[in-house]
């Protein structure tokens, strides 16, 4: 294949296994807010201490140390709150370990690139597969210093991983660093302090099946009444029996409200989390629960009614509808979005674009959407792309992880499957085989639109090329038919076509009527071309 790497097999992405809905706690009294702040600060301090103890255990952690930590927290809160805190601690520690492993891989990729380029002669040109040498002695020296810094950083991170040490900041490292740049962040010290304290609070409780309304610590009745079991040191703030505090605010989940009501009426587990949005001054309640694992549809079933191929770009989705034989249908569709601004704005833009994409896929009558299995972890290093800073920022701005999660969860609600394909060569081969043939005076085909066709065909199990080369005309019996075409039982398959202008004799139209030859012009510029480019019909070829 001339150096082309082996492509990964396409697969149907498993559906979501969890649900989360949110509603605002409105009309809280000053006493309600004081109770929430007191509970959040108290349990947040417990969570910080537990995380410190877990990080100190490192790789020596065991079930006995976990039980000891939980017993200590139970005496200062309750058994259910202690269980929620220790579980959140373990999840945070595990996430830090995964991030640490990803950081090591990124450092190793940069070190390999630097070592390769430093080993080459200065000024040596690179190839498509590998970068060349550095342009000058000065750049070579600076990159050698960069290599030494990366190796020292890599050694330190590897030593931390082997020792079981992780770097974790409750409240977030970014918010912590914002304290040193308040002017740039347009925050006062009091505003930053309020945000910092709110991020470190802990007002959450895991659900438990068989208990009242699915949760004993934070309870929400079918009427929307919210109450919380106070920890032992704050029991004097209770306004209800059994050390509970009932809020004046009620909630009503507009989204999935019926599903939530069915769960709590059957006393099935529902987890709750209460948090404060300091920018708006609003309190929110988030309810979440697990779903049974939905069995994914077979790949052949997902391909039965065609596919929507989607090419992900920095500012839009380029999508194309293909039938089950891989033939493009209609015109390309583009769904733009803007990834500038705040995280909330970017998330809303992604959701709106995906909503339009899914609605179009439903109207097209397909059962699946094909998308690239993108991961830019190894593509964002400055060692690989050098001075192409804007390109690295472009890659970093594409939210591949959030996009996958959003698309899978939203598509599952509409009964659509997601088929993930290998992203290799989709833009290159799509532009090579599909961009020019589909371009017409009334249809503009971009490289991204052609890539959407390549992705859809790969998801359908077809090669990206439109057609294979035909057999020699004088050896058709020995060479056989095309290797990629619809089967004999498919209606509308490729068959005998009427003669076109490039096959009929000169002066004979496809209808068989002979036309008068045009008169010879006086100048070469006015001479009409006798050669016409005739586009092959895009019939049912595999």
């Amino acid at each position: 294949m001339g150096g082309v790497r082996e492509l990964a097999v396409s697969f149907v992405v498993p559906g979501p296994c969890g649900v989360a809905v949110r509603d605002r706690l409105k009309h809280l009294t000053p006493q309600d807010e004081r109770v929430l702040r007191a509970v959040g600060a108290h349990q947040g301090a417990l969570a910080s201490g537990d995380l410190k103890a877990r990080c100190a255990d490192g790789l020596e952690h065991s079930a006995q140390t976990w039980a000891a930590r939980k017993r200590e927290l139970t005496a200062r809160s309750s058994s259910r709150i202690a269980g929620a805190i220790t579980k959140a601690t373990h999840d945070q520690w595990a996430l830090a370990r995964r991030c640490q492993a990803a950081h090591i891989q990124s450092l190793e990729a940069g070190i390999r690139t630097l070592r390769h380029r430093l080993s080459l002669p200065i000024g040596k040109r690179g190839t498509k597969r590998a970068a060349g040498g550095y342009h000058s002695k000065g750049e070579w020296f600076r990159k050698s210093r960069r290599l030494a810094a990366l190796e020292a950083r890599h050694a330190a991170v590897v030593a931390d991983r082997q020792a079981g040490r992780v770097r974790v900041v409750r409240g977030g490292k970014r918010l912590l660093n914002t304290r040193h740049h308040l002017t740039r962040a347009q925050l006062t010290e009091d505003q930053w302090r309020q945000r910092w304290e709110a991020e470190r609070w802990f007002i959450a409780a895991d659900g438990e099946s068989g208990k009242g309304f699915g949760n004993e610590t934070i309870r929400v009745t079918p009427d929307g009444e919210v109450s919380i079991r106070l920890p032992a040191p704050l029991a004097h703030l209770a306004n209800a029996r059994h050390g509970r505090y009932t809020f004046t605010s009620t909630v009503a989940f507009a989204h999935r409200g019926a599903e939530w009501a069915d769960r709590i009426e059957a006393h099935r587990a529902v987890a709750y989390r209460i948090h404060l949005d300091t920018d708006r001054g609003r309190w929110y309640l988030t309810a979440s629960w697990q779903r049974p694992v939905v069995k994914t549809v077979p790949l052949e079933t997902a391909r039965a009614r065609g596919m929507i191929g989607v090419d992900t770009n920095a500012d839009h989705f380029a999508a194309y509808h293909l039938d089950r034989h891989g033939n493009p249908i209609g015109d390309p569709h583009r769904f733009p979005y803007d990834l500038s601004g705040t995280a909330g704005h970017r998330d809303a833009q992604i959701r709106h674009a995906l909503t339009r994409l899914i609605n179009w896929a439903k109207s097209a009558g397909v059962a699946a959407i094909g998308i690239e299995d993108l991961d830019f972890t190894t593509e964002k290093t400055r060692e690989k792309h050098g001075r192409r800073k804007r390109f690295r920022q472009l890659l970093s701005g594409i939210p591949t992880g959030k996009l996958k999660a959003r698309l899978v969860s939203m598509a599952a609600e509409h009964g659509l499957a997601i088929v993930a394909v290998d992203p290799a060569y989709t833009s290159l081969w799509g532009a090579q085989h599909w961009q020019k043939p589909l371009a017409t005076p009334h249809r503009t085909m971009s490289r991204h639109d052609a890539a959407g066709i390549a992705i859809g065909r790969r998801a359908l199990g077809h090669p990206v090329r439109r057609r294979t080369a035909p057999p020699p005309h004088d050896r058709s019996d020995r060479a056989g038919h095309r290797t990629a075409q619809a089967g004999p039982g498919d209606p509308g398959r490729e068959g005998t076509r009427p003669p076109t202008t490039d096959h009929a004799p000169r002066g004979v139209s496809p209808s068989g009527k002979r036309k008068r030859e045009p008169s010879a012009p006086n100048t070469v510029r006015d001479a009409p071309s006798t050669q016409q480019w005739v586009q092959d019909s895009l019939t049912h070829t595999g």
Side-chain angles (χ1 to χ4, degrees):
M1 294 294 292
V4 177
R5 72 170 176 84
E6 183 178 357
L7 301 179
V9 179
S10 303
F11 62 94
V12 179
V13 181
C17 60
V19 175
V21 293
R22 188 179 71 171
D23 191 28
R24 181 184 171 188
L25 291 172
K26 300 180 180 179
H27 312 300
L28 292 173
T29 65
Q31 178 63 17
D32 292 343
E33 293 200 17
R34 281 195 293 269
V35 171
L36 285 174
R37 291 176 182 273
V39 172
H42 175 74
Q43 296 183 170
L46 297 181
S48 298
D50 186 64
L51 181 61
K52 180 181 178 181
R54 175 64 186 89
C55 292
D57 290 342
L59 300 179
E60 302 299 326
H61 167 72
S62 63
Q64 290 74 20
T65 58
W66 187 354
R69 294 189 355 254
K70 186 176 179 180
R71 284 193 298 268
E72 182 182 355
L73 292 173
T74 301
R76 303 170 61 184
S77 56
S78 69
S79 61
R80 290 185 176 87
I81 294 176
I85 290 176
T86 53
K87 182 178 181 300
T89 295
H90 291 164
D91 292 342
Q92 194 167 8
W93 189 87
L95 176 61
R97 287 282 289 183
R98 293 195 297 271
C99 293
Q100 190 179 57
H103 184 45
I104 291 176
Q105 292 179 359
S106 176
L107 291 174
E108 290 175 348
I111 290 173
R112 284 195 302 268
T113 302
L114 286 173
R115 286 177 177 172
H116 168 72
R117 298 194 67 181
L118 289 171
S119 65
L120 299 176
I122 295 176
K124 184 177 180 179
R125 297 178 62 87
T127 62
K128 290 184 178 180
R129 302 294 178 183
Y134 291 108
H135 297 283
S136 63
K137 292 183 179 180
E139 186 178 8
W140 189 97
F141 174 77
R142 290 191 296 271
K143 293 301 182 181
S144 65
R145 296 299 87 203
R146 170 73 176 170
L147 175 61
L150 290 185
E151 288 176 340
R153 195 182 305 171
H154 177 266
V157 177
V158 170
D160 286 345
R161 184 167 184 81
Q162 292 175 351
R165 290 190 296 268
V166 295
R167 315 290 179 176
V168 183
V169 179
R170 288 200 72 247
K173 180 180 177 181
R174 177 175 298 178
L175 183 58
L176 178 63
N177 291 335
T178 304
R179 174 63 182 82
H180 307 290
H181 307 281
L182 295 178
T183 303
R184 185 185 305 173
Q186 298 180 353
L187 294 173
T188 64
E189 185 175 351
D190 291 339
Q191 291 174 338
W192 177 87
R193 180 66 59 182
Q194 293 177 5
R195 184 178 299 182
W196 174 252
E197 291 176 352
E199 290 293 333
R200 291 169 63 86
W201 288 344
F202 187 91
I203 315 177
D206 295 333
E208 187 176 358
S209 295
K211 300 298 181 181
F213 304 115
N215 198 310
E216 283 288 344
T217 304
I218 301 178
R219 180 180 296 171
V220 183
T221 65
D223 297 332
E225 182 184 79
V226 183
S227 63
I228 184 172
R229 177 70 179 270
L230 297 176
L234 301 178
H236 62 280
L237 299 176
N239 62 359
R241 298 174 57 188
H242 307 298
R244 305 190 69 87
Y245 185 91
T246 302
F247 299 97
T248 58
S249 174
T250 59
V251 296
F253 297 107
H255 182 55
R256 302 184 187 277
E259 186 177 352
W260 167 80
D262 292 341
R263 290 191 66 88
I264 65 171
E265 289 175 357
H267 304 294
R268 300 172 63 187
V270 179
Y272 294 103
R273 173 177 175 263
I274 301 176
H275 72 281
L276 171 64
D277 186 341
T278 55
D279 293 336
R280 299 181 178 181
R282 299 176 178 177
W283 291 87
Y284 292 93
L285 173 69
T286 302
S288 58
W289 59 89
Q290 289 185 344
R291 281 179 165 182
V293 179
V294 180
K295 186 177 180 180
T296 57
V297 299
L299 186 58
E300 294 302 324
T301 303
R303 294 169 171 172
R305 290 185 289 167
M307 189 76 60
I308 298 292
V310 180
D311 180 46
T312 305
N313 302 284
D315 58 354
H316 73 282
F317 296 126
Y320 224 117
H321 180 200
L322 288 80
D323 64 12
R324 64 190 184 94
H325 302 292
N327 301 310
I329 299 176
D331 295 326
H333 285 67
R334 301 177 183 90
F335 304 94
Y337 48 81
D338 181 15
L339 296 182
S340 61
T342 63
H345 175 263
R346 296 194 299 269
D347 187 57
Q349 289 284 308
I350 291 294
R351 284 189 284 109
H352 295 164
L354 290 179
T355 300
R356 296 193 297 271
L357 171 64
I358 291 173
N359 290 337
W360 175 61
K362 288 181 58 182
S363 64
V366 300
I369 297 175
I371 193 168
E372 295 171 302
D373 189 11
L374 294 174
D375 184 8
F376 294 133
T377 303
T378 60
E379 299 292 332
K380 296 183 290 188
T381 60
R382 58 187 272 193
E383 283 72 33
K384 181 167 185 177
H385 297 291
R387 299 182 179 88
R388 302 171 65 187
K389 184 176 180 180
R390 295 189 64 181
F391 182 71
R392 288 190 284 115
Q393 292 175 344
L394 178 68
L395 293 180
S396 300
I398 300 178
T400 55
K402 183 174 292 187
L403 171 63
K404 293 176 185 177
R406 286 284 186 192
L407 180 58
V408 170
S409 61
M410 294 174 67
E413 296 303 316
H414 296 275
L416 295 174
I418 302 299
V419 180
V421 304
D422 195 310
Y425 316 113
T426 53
S427 297
L428 178 64
W429 291 350
Q432 178 182 355
H433 298 292
W434 290 98
Q435 186 174 5
K436 183 177 179 180
L438 288 179
T440 66
H442 303 288
R443 178 197 291 147
T444 301
M445 283 290 295
S446 69
R447 185 183 181 93
H448 306 300
D449 300 328
I453 299 176
I455 294 168
R457 288 180 65 87
R458 186 169 291 175
L460 289 167
H462 301 310
V464 174
R465 287 190 64 178
R466 287 196 301 140
R467 313 169 69 187
T468 58
H473 65 280
D474 59 335
R475 293 181 295 169
S476 57
D477 293 337
R478 287 179 290 164
H481 298 285
R482 300 178 187 273
T483 57
Q485 64 179 16
D490 295 318
R493 67 186 187 278
E494 183 178 13
T496 304
R497 284 179 273 176
T500 55
T501 53
D502 59 341
H503 297 110
R506 178 176 297 181
V508 179
S509 65
S511 60
K513 296 181 180 179
R514 185 175 297 274
K515 295 182 178 180
R516 184 177 63 86
E517 291 286 348
S519 58
N522 296 328
T523 61
V524 177
R525 179 178 299 175
D526 297 331
S529 175
T530 58
Q531 299 294 329
Q532 294 186 2
W533 181 79
V534 179
Q535 178 179 328
D536 290 339
S537 61
L538 302 178
T539 51
H540 296 300
T541 57

